Amino acid sequence: MTFAFRGLLTVRLLGALANGIMLPFVILWAHRVGGLSGAAAGALFLVQAVGEFTGGLAGGALADRIGHRRMLLLSTTGMALGYGSLFLVHHAVFAVLLFLAAGLFESAFHPTIAALIGDLHAEEDLHHAYGLTRVVSSIGGVIGPILGAVAVTFSLSSVFAAAGVLLVGAAVAVFVAVPADRVLGPETPAEGIGGEAKEVYNSFTHILRDRRLALLILGGSLLTITFTWWEADGLVLLNRVDSISPTAYAALFAVDALAIILFQLPVSRWARRRDTGRLLFLGAALQGVGLAGFAAAGLGYPVLVAAALITSFGMMIYGPTTSAFISRHAPTGHSATYQAALSTTQDIGSAIGPMSGLALGRIGPPALIWLSALPLGLLAGLATARATRIPQKATQITPTRNAQPQQPDVPRIPHQPES
């Protein structure tokens, strides 16, 4: 494992810790400190999602132009300032504006890390690298809320101060550990603002013409939508079948996180040399089967635990496989743009999933909702598996004038030996 990759894992861990510290207490802070009441408190998550959705593609395209390390430094610093400044905020307007700004910076954070992982690894190591990143993220997701509970003993606003400090540490880790962009790949000549804007626009037109990417986004969006039925609406829907306490419901997510920590790396080692299309179909199908298992909630809590585990194993297979596939097949000079396009599936799911789950719950029995996740998962698997079968020439993009020629069989940067 290279020093640079250890640095990226540190950045991802600190980012997950910061998110875990803040997330459980945002609504409570908004009510008591931030000047937002009632449903308006939920607007913080909405504006954050708007910032991430609108800024994601632009951030990815800009990262491909100014350099992945530079963009990661910029996005991490922006998140630190945006979220950390909420420690001092006691007004609704400033709270909303800071959440919007932090969302814009965060939109570039995850796809840029994904692109840097591709920069630092040979193709045969990508699956394992993305799997390890998911393990680190899950560790942060488990420990973060515990640290947040400690911070709240001082004040509600302290969760943002703690998150800001962690994100400053992440920015320092990028600065110290990640090599300069000229080491990772060929530098492009500096251009004026007009030239940068033109290249960003060209990146948008490129991804709109890519059938392979369109199928991946379609499949990923379907999976994210159905997953949010569990993540966001699960407590409401499950209580309509059999009473379940909030603690027992939250424990299902702890089971998911623990499963990822324990089994993601063995699953990645098993999957790294298997057919990509079959892996994507298997992962999507398993998630569908797992979510469909929630239809049997009336049989008892062990059934819910089993359903959560099957869903988790599906995501263990699907997530790293998709990221690795995008990293291998993104046109030269567009890796962060393609990773950002893939990350829009999360935004689509967050926007459509909770509303659709509750709407379906009003017109039909909860069991029917959970069971419908299975055909949608199979459809997602077929779409993403089909994406891997489209010939490379069907999605090949003419490189920008500053990009290097595509060389599919050769790593795009010199491979650094693992220690």
Side-chain angles (χ1 to χ4, degrees):
M1 185 187 298
T2 64
F3 179 66
F5 183 50
R6 291 192 186 98
L8 283 180
L9 292 178
T10 301
V11 173
R12 191 66 187 89
L13 174 62
L14 293 173
L17 285 171
N19 186 67
I21 285 174
M22 294 184 294
L23 192 60
F25 306 101
V26 168
I27 296 296
L28 189 60
W29 173 86
H31 280 300
R32 297 185 181 178
V33 181
L36 293 164
S37 60
L44 291 178
F45 289 109
L46 178 61
V47 297
Q48 183 191 39
V50 168
E52 291 182 8
F53 186 78
T54 56
L57 291 176
L62 189 58
D64 285 327
R65 294 302 303 158
I66 69 174
H68 298 161
R69 178 181 184 269
R70 295 186 186 98
M71 178 53 77
L72 187 57
L73 271 174
L74 177 63
S75 61
T76 307
T77 303
M79 289 164 60
L81 292 174
Y83 291 127
S85 297
L86 289 165
F87 174 71
L88 306 172
V89 168
H90 299 82
H91 192 280
V93 173
F94 292 125
V96 170
L97 290 176
L98 283 172
F99 261 86
L100 177 61
L104 285 169
F105 283 107
E106 191 169 357
S107 66
F109 178 77
H110 300 289
T112 306
I113 287 179
L116 276 166
I117 291 173
D119 293 339
L120 293 168
H121 290 85
E123 290 188 5
E124 62 270 19
D125 298 323
L126 286 173
H127 204 287
H128 179 78
Y130 286 117
L132 187 55
T133 306
R134 291 191 82 236
V135 172
V136 167
S137 178
S138 294
I139 292 173
V142 171
I143 299 176
I146 299 173
L147 297 179
V150 174
V152 166
T153 61
F154 297 95
S155 72
L156 276 171
S157 297
S158 295
V159 297
F160 297 110
V165 169
L166 288 169
L167 289 168
V168 168
V172 172
V174 176
F175 185 80
V176 171
V178 180
D181 293 296
R182 64 177 176 273
V183 177
L184 297 175
E187 285 193 296
T188 56
E191 296 189 43
I193 294 177
E196 298 289 358
K198 181 179 179 181
E199 291 297 341
V200 170
Y201 172 78
N202 287 339
S203 295
F204 290 161
T205 59
H206 288 161
I207 62 176
L208 288 174
R209 294 196 300 264
D210 194 323
R211 292 170 52 207
R212 177 179 279 171
L213 182 62
L215 287 170
L216 289 172
I217 292 175
L218 171 63
S221 297
L222 289 175
L223 292 178
T224 308
I225 288 170
T226 56
F227 182 79
T228 57
W229 294 348
W230 170 33
E231 185 179 45
D233 304 332
L235 185 59
V236 175
L237 296 175
L238 290 172
N239 268 324
R240 289 184 56 188
V241 178
D242 190 24
S243 179
I244 180 174
S245 68
T247 302
Y249 174 65
L252 295 175
F253 295 98
V255 168
D256 172 49
L258 184 60
I260 292 173
I261 293 170
L262 293 176
F263 299 114
Q264 178 65 73
L265 292 183
V267 168
S268 294
R269 283 194 292 269
W270 169 81
R272 63 189 301 176
R273 298 193 183 279
R274 283 170 169 78
D275 179 76
T276 298
R278 292 178 181 176
L279 286 174
L280 291 175
F281 180 79
L282 176 61
L286 281 177
Q287 178 175 315
V289 170
L291 293 175
F294 286 113
L299 298 178
Y301 193 72
V303 173
L304 297 182
V305 173
L309 285 172
I310 294 171
T311 302
S312 182
F313 273 97
M315 291 187 292
M316 287 183 217
I317 296 171
Y318 185 89
T321 303
T322 310
S323 297
F325 178 76
I326 282 288
S327 185
R328 287 194 299 266
H329 295 283
T332 301
H334 293 79
S335 59
T337 306
Y338 269 58
Q339 294 288 355
L342 186 65
S343 72
T344 61
T345 60
Q346 299 295 323
D347 302 316
I348 293 170
S350 298
I352 299 176
M355 293 185 296
S356 63
L358 293 177
L360 291 171
R362 293 190 187 98
I363 63 177
L368 185 61
I369 300 170
W370 297 121
L371 290 173
S372 66
L374 178 55
L376 290 176
L378 294 175
L379 178 60
L382 289 172
T384 50
R386 171 58 184 162
T388 67
R389 306 295 188 239
I390 296 177
Q392 179 70 18
K393 64 180 181 180
T395 60
Q396 184 62 45
I397 295 172
T398 303
T400 60
R401 61 187 177 86
N402 294 319
Q404 299 300 307
Q406 179 84 353
Q407 295 179 335
D409 297 323
V410 180
R412 285 169 289 179
I413 60 164
H415 177 50
Q416 302 183 30
E418 302 289 331
S419 60

